[in-house]
Amino acid sequence: MKEKLTISEMARLRGLTPETLRHYDRIGLFKPHHVDIDSGYRYYSIFQYEVLGTIKELREIGMSTEEIKNYFNERNVSNSLSILERKHIDLIDRINELNEIEKSIQEKISWMREISKSKELMEVSVRELPIRSLIVHHDKVQTNLELCYGVIELENKLNEKAPIVGTNRLGVLIDKADLDNHKYNSSCRPFILERIKKKVKEHKLITIPHGKYVCIRYSGELWDRARCLEKAMHYIKENHFEIIGYTLQIAQIDISVTDVIDELVFELQIPIKHS
């Protein structure tokens, strides 16, 4: 056993790299006990083991080097407890954030597995859908350029982590009057489905009621909906239904997960009642 250790020996004892110790020296966090004037070699004392061990543990719990410097500036029970309590709060916040991200990823995986198995394109069905809340853009859009700006504005209203990629939350509202007048490619209002209550920044929500909807899916881009709507409208007329509100066009598979146009899928949901 010896008191004086080379940089490699000290690093090895604490499971660190020599470069880490050089970095700590450069930023003034952990200085060698002695530096040889002629060779420039750093030497450490075994009695510095506690300081380096504490630094290592504080880094493991997520403290920055600046926070660790502050920890050592006036180290006593009261200050150490206060610093650890603040770090504990930070860690709880981070854990909650990671839990939210994990839940979001799990939902994305489940949805993408479900939709990738579905082959029901251009087939009309009537489904009962639940009440939903939409974050809706204040202006209508008619071009991809306008759509891009509208979606960005909506996404900025969300206070969530990874809210859009691989989900079926993004879409547009089509006015009832446009369908009644067979204006299938008219302007529409972008929206995002609200997923988590109180996670929207100061924005009025639109409620879409529970009810029956004529639904049909197609592959292609947002503006390729005319043929699909024509088929849905024929079905509505043939079965003596009446449109009673906004039509929702929701991206099922969008450009966030594929660059292949033929893999893009949209679903149209038209609220109806018997006329």
Side-chain angles (χ1 to χ4, degrees):
M1 294 185 290
K2 58 183 181 178
E3 179 183 336
K4 191 162 78 171
L5 303 170
T6 66
I7 189 170
S8 295
E9 290 170 333
M10 190 62 160
R12 187 164 56 250
L13 281 175
R14 277 304 187 183
L16 300 169
T17 65
E19 182 51 40
T20 297
L21 294 188
R22 294 188 190 97
H23 174 64
Y24 289 168
D25 183 12
R26 286 193 293 268
I27 65 174
L29 179 61
F30 183 68
K31 292 285 189 181
H33 186 261
H34 170 70
V35 178
D36 187 282
I37 297 175
D38 296 324
S39 65
Y41 288 167
R42 297 170 173 88
Y43 292 97
Y44 295 84
S45 167
I46 189 61
F47 296 113
Q48 292 178 283
Y49 83 97
E50 176 275 322
V51 173
L52 186 56
T54 300
I55 290 171
K56 182 180 178 183
E57 288 198 24
L58 295 180
R59 290 292 287 152
E60 287 172 348
I61 66 173
M63 279 196 184
S64 68
T65 53
E66 283 304 311
E67 287 175 318
I68 295 171
K69 282 183 185 180
N70 293 333
Y71 182 90
F72 282 111
N73 279 344
E74 192 176 347
R75 188 160 52 150
N76 57 55
V77 171
S78 177
N79 284 344
S80 295
L81 176 60
S82 177
I83 290 170
L84 289 172
E85 284 174 338
R86 290 199 301 271
K87 181 50 63 177
H88 186 226
I89 292 171
D90 291 344
L91 287 172
I92 290 172
D93 289 342
R94 180 58 178 156
I95 288 168
N96 290 336
E97 183 179 288
L98 288 173
N99 284 335
E100 183 182 325
I101 292 171
E102 189 277 333
K103 182 181 178 183
S104 175
I105 291 173
Q106 189 62 251
E107 290 173 352
K108 294 173 191 295
I109 291 169
S110 297
W111 170 247
M112 289 183 68
R113 283 175 176 167
E114 178 186 337
I115 192 64
S116 62
K117 292 176 184 176
S118 175
K119 304 298 181 184
E120 298 174 357
L121 296 178
M122 297 302 292
E123 293 183 15
V124 180
S125 65
V126 177
R127 301 210 313 270
E128 191 167 330
L129 297 176
I131 187 170
R132 291 163 288 176
S133 294
L134 308 182
I135 310 149
V136 182
H137 192 255
H138 47 80
D139 292 325
K140 289 185 176 183
V141 301
Q142 201 162 16
T143 66
N144 280 331
L145 179 64
E146 293 171 343
L147 180 65
C148 288
Y149 279 100
V151 170
I152 290 169
E153 184 176 319
L154 289 175
E155 289 185 8
N156 289 338
K157 297 287 184 183
L158 296 177
N159 191 25
E160 304 174 37
K161 297 294 182 183
I164 299 302
V165 174
T167 66
N168 61 333
R169 297 179 61 190
L170 191 63
V172 295
L173 286 179
I174 303 169
D175 285 345
K176 174 182 180 299
D178 289 328
L179 293 197
D180 289 340
N181 294 310
H182 307 289
K183 295 179 179 178
Y184 298 144
N185 281 320
S186 58
S187 57
C188 47
R189 294 174 67 191
F191 70 80
I192 294 176
L193 281 160
E194 181 192 39
R195 183 174 70 90
I196 303 173
K197 296 292 183 184
K198 299 181 180 178
K199 284 286 187 177
V200 180
K201 302 173 186 173
E202 299 178 0
H203 195 87
K204 187 176 179 181
L205 302 177
I206 289 181
T207 300
I208 300 298
H210 161 267
K212 290 185 177 180
Y213 291 76
V214 167
C215 301
I216 184 169
R217 290 176 180 169
Y218 72 92
S219 65
E221 297 188 270
L222 176 77
W223 310 103
D224 298 335
R225 60 180 175 239
R227 190 167 67 92
C228 195
L229 279 171
E230 286 172 357
K231 185 169 184 177
M233 292 296 286
H234 177 76
Y235 180 90
I236 288 169
K237 182 179 179 180
E238 193 175 60
N239 288 275
H240 308 291
F241 291 132
E242 179 185 342
I243 300 172
I244 56 172
Y246 289 115
T247 291
L248 285 73
Q249 181 178 353
I250 304 177
Q252 310 292 291
I253 299 176
D254 66 12
I255 56 173
S256 68
V257 294
T258 182
D259 291 322
V260 181
I261 299 299
D262 289 344
E263 288 185 340
L264 299 176
V265 176
F266 287 89
E267 179 173 84
L268 291 150
Q269 300 172 356
I270 308 171
I272 49 97
K273 67 176 184 179
H274 281 285
S275 59

